[in-house]
């Protein structure tokens, strides 16, 4: 029998042990979240919208709305200064997002067919308004939970684990929809989604409710202007917003081009996305370790040419098999976008003053959100126009547009990007 030291009874848990417990909760919370996001996003979101009767313009709008609603974070950052509990607010908004987004699976069983796309857009928009507010609260809270010295490595490992699970869900979902196309397949797909929506919300009850360091400013105007007075932060944010405008002209519509224009099967699209996710997993770990040696902005810069190469790779279709081009493009995308998202997140929570962090996050999210909203809308509209081209000009929509945008991205990277992010 192990003897217990009576003097240790009643003592508070050590800080190191508490930190490990909180990090473990944050990791486990991501498990149902990644399953839900995988089965409701990416190629499955595009496929579900096509099933509901959406066209390229509808798909572009839906893909864009998730970033446009980030404007709400500006008001939420000011409101956060007045809440007593970040944890309760997190539960309210994140729970609302999970429930509303998963509820879109009920649309074909409740509403007339002519309403399907409109009802989906309405539910999806409200869900992501909740998500953008909840996401800002989560970013603020997780920035306090994860110690700065292990932040890059922790998120690298966390993202690797979660994306490994996501890749399994991608592959399984693709096989399912190929075997059971249409209503039956999507019904089966939404069953684990509904389970995970509930489980994810429940796990948030175990998050710690840490003290919140509030802004030193009391008025909204003085709080709002703080990020605009930080020239280094502002220049980097404006550049990244411009970059995302160009990137989102085509990257969010990759699945649309594969499924609708190239007629690639769900299973093959899922396999391509699984390969992207596996590469992204390795990238998370590598970018995370590099982040311990190099600054967020320096590493952000080096993700940009990789993303540009993803777009340029579509040009291989002019002389190589289509699948070779698609796999190579998504390998570059996994390395680049995975690193970009992770490092942009670390930039907003690591290169900003702690007391003003919510407003800095809000301004970054709003500026990049507006451009990421406009990008897919323009991209969807352009693809709609390209559908009227003759068969001899079909190469423009299948790979010509992507190559052109990739070339512009590469030029922007080594001109403005180099001056702003490597300075």
């Amino acid at each position: 029998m192990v003897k217990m030291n009576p003097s240790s009874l009643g003592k508070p848990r050590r800080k190191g042990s508490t930190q490990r417990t909180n990090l473990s909760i944050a990791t486990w919370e991501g498990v149902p979240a990644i399953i839900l996001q995988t089965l409701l996003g990416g190629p499955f979101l595009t496929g579900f919208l096509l099933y509901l009767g959406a066209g390229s313009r509808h798909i572009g709008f839906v893909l864009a709305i998730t970033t446009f609603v980030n404007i709400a974070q500006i008001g939420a950052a000011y409101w956060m200064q007045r809440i007593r509990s970040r944890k309760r607010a997190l539960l309210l908004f994140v729970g609302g997002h999970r429930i509303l987004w998963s509820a879109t699976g009920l649309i074909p069983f409740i509403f007339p067919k002519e309403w399907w796309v409109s009802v989906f857009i309405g539910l999806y928009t409200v869900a992501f308004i909740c998500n953008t507010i909840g996401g800002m609260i989560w970013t603020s809270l997780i920035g306090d939970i994860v110690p700065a010295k292990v932040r890059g490595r922790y998120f690298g490992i966390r993202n690797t684990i979660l994306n490994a699970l996501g890749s399994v869900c991608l592959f399984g979902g693709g096989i399912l929809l190929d075997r059971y196309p249409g209503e039956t397949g999507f019904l089966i797909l939404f069953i684990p989604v509904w389970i995970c929506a509930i489980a994810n919300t429940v796990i948030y009850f175990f998050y710690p409710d840490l003290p919140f360091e509030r802004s030193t400013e009391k008025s909204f105007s003085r709080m709002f202007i703080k990020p605009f007075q930080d020239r280094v932060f502002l220049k980097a944010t404006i550049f990244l917003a411009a970059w995302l405008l160009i990137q989102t002209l085509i990257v969010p519509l990759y699945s649309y081009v594969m499924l609708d224009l190239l007629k690639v099967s769900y299973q093959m699209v899922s396999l391509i996305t699984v390969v992207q996710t596996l590469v992204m997993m390795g990238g998370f770990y590598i970018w995370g370790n590099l982040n311990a040696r190099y600054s967020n902005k320096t590493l952000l810069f080096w993700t940009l040419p990789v993303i540009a190469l993803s777009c340029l790779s579509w040009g291989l279709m002019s002389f190589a098999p289509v699948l070779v081009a698609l796999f190579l493009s998504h390998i570059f995308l996994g390395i680049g976008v995975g690193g970009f998202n992770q490092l942009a997140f670390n930039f907003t929570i690591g290169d900003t003053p702690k007391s003003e962090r919510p407003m800095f996050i809000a301004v970054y999210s709003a500026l990049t959100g507006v451009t990421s909203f406009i990008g897919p809308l323009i991209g969807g509209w352009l693809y709609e126009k390209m559908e009227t081209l003759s068969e001899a000009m079909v190469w423009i929509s299948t790979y010509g547009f992507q190559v052109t945008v990739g070339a512009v991205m590469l030029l922007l990277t080594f001109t403005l990007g180099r001056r702003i992010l490597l300075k």
Side-chain angles (χ1 to χ4, degrees):
M1 180 181 292
V2 178
K3 293 183 179 181
M4 295 184 66
N5 183 359
S7 64
S8 67
L9 298 176
K11 286 187 177 181
R13 180 182 269 180
R14 289 180 303 162
K15 183 178 180 182
S17 176
T18 303
Q19 280 184 346
R20 284 194 295 271
T21 300
N22 292 341
L23 294 177
S24 178
I25 292 168
T27 302
W28 279 106
E29 173 271 314
V31 171
I34 196 67
I35 295 173
L36 180 144
Q37 290 164 12
T38 300
L39 297 181
L40 288 182
F44 303 126
L45 173 61
T46 303
F48 189 56
L49 284 166
L50 290 171
Y51 164 68
L52 294 179
S56 61
R57 189 177 295 186
H58 293 119
I59 293 170
F61 177 80
V62 168
L63 295 174
I65 197 66
T66 58
T67 52
F68 180 73
V69 294
N70 284 341
I71 294 174
Q73 288 193 1
I74 293 175
Y78 180 67
W79 167 75
M80 267 187 68
Q81 308 302 316
R82 283 147 181 76
I83 61 174
R84 295 184 178 181
S85 169
R86 283 185 291 180
K87 178 179 175 178
R88 285 199 294 268
L90 185 67
L91 276 165
L92 174 64
F93 288 102
V94 173
H97 167 256
R98 305 301 193 247
I99 292 167
L100 289 170
W101 195 12
S102 61
T104 58
L106 300 173
I107 290 173
F109 306 101
I110 297 176
F111 298 97
K113 191 168 184 176
E114 60 270 20
W115 291 11
W116 286 1
V117 175
S118 298
V119 173
F120 180 92
I121 291 174
L123 280 174
Y124 191 84
T125 301
V126 177
F128 275 86
I129 290 172
C130 291
N131 184 63
T132 194
I133 298 172
M136 189 191 65
I137 298 169
W138 183 84
T139 303
S140 168
L141 187 57
I142 202 73
D144 292 340
I145 290 173
V146 183
K149 63 182 179 180
V150 301
R151 195 170 285 150
R153 187 163 296 171
Y154 168 76
F155 284 114
I157 295 171
R158 181 182 187 268
N159 290 337
T160 301
I161 294 169
L162 296 182
N163 278 273
L165 177 59
S167 65
V168 174
C169 295
L170 270 170
F171 190 63
I175 293 173
L176 171 68
L177 290 179
D178 272 341
R179 185 168 296 178
Y180 302 101
E183 182 178 303
T184 303
F186 283 112
L187 175 60
I188 297 171
L189 196 71
F190 269 92
I191 291 172
V193 165
W194 293 324
I195 294 170
C196 288
I198 295 169
N200 190 215
T201 305
V202 168
I203 295 176
Y204 276 109
F205 280 97
F206 296 93
Y207 259 66
D209 201 1
L210 300 179
F212 178 38
E213 186 175 332
R214 303 179 192 280
S215 171
T216 56
E217 305 294 345
K218 300 301 180 184
S219 70
F220 173 79
S221 59
R222 291 172 67 90
M223 194 183 302
F224 177 68
I225 205 171
K226 275 286 183 75
F228 294 93
Q229 293 173 333
D230 187 327
R231 291 181 58 83
V232 174
F233 168 83
L234 188 61
K235 285 172 67 175
T237 298
I238 291 174
F239 170 77
L240 293 174
W243 168 270
L244 287 169
L245 172 64
I246 299 169
Q247 176 186 309
T248 53
L249 287 172
I250 52 171
V251 172
L253 294 161
Y254 274 9
S255 294
Y256 167 74
V257 176
M258 290 189 290
L259 289 169
D260 202 54
L261 301 183
L262 297 174
K263 306 300 180 185
V264 181
S265 68
Y266 279 113
Q267 186 171 343
M268 184 53 67
V269 172
S270 296
L271 180 60
I272 291 169
T273 313
V274 166
V275 171
Q276 174 191 329
T277 306
L278 291 173
V279 173
M280 189 183 297
M281 286 161 46
F284 281 142
Y285 185 76
I286 294 169
W287 290 117
N289 283 332
L290 287 173
N291 206 189
R293 298 173 56 192
Y294 302 102
S295 71
N296 293 315
K297 289 201 302 175
T298 297
L299 293 177
L300 260 174
F301 170 81
W302 288 111
T303 65
L304 304 186
V306 181
I307 299 171
L309 286 174
S310 170
C311 302
L312 290 168
S313 298
W314 286 72
L316 294 174
M317 291 183 195
S318 61
F319 59 88
V322 169
L323 290 180
V324 171
L326 293 178
F327 272 107
L328 189 59
S329 171
H330 282 76
I331 287 170
F332 283 128
L333 189 66
I335 298 169
V337 169
F340 181 94
N341 291 340
Q342 181 170 308
L343 292 161
F345 176 81
N346 290 346
F347 168 67
T348 57
I349 67 173
D351 294 8
T352 55
K354 185 177 179 181
S355 63
E356 309 300 328
R357 186 178 294 158
M359 188 57 78
F360 274 78
I361 294 169
V363 168
Y364 174 86
S365 299
L367 291 176
T368 57
V370 168
T371 55
S372 298
F373 170 75
I374 296 170
L377 284 182
I378 297 173
W381 176 78
L382 288 173
Y383 274 113
E384 193 174 78
K385 294 298 180 184
M386 283 185 265
E387 288 175 6
T388 62
L389 296 174
S390 64
E391 288 189 14
M393 301 292 288
V394 73
W395 65 272
I396 294 176
S397 58
T398 53
Y399 65 84
F401 182 42
Q402 291 88 318
V403 171
T404 302
V405 172
V408 173
M409 292 164 73
L410 206 57
L411 179 64
L412 185 64
T413 298
F414 289 103
T415 52
L416 283 175
R418 185 175 181 179
R419 289 207 300 268
I420 292 171
L421 296 179
L422 294 184
K423 192 171 181 180

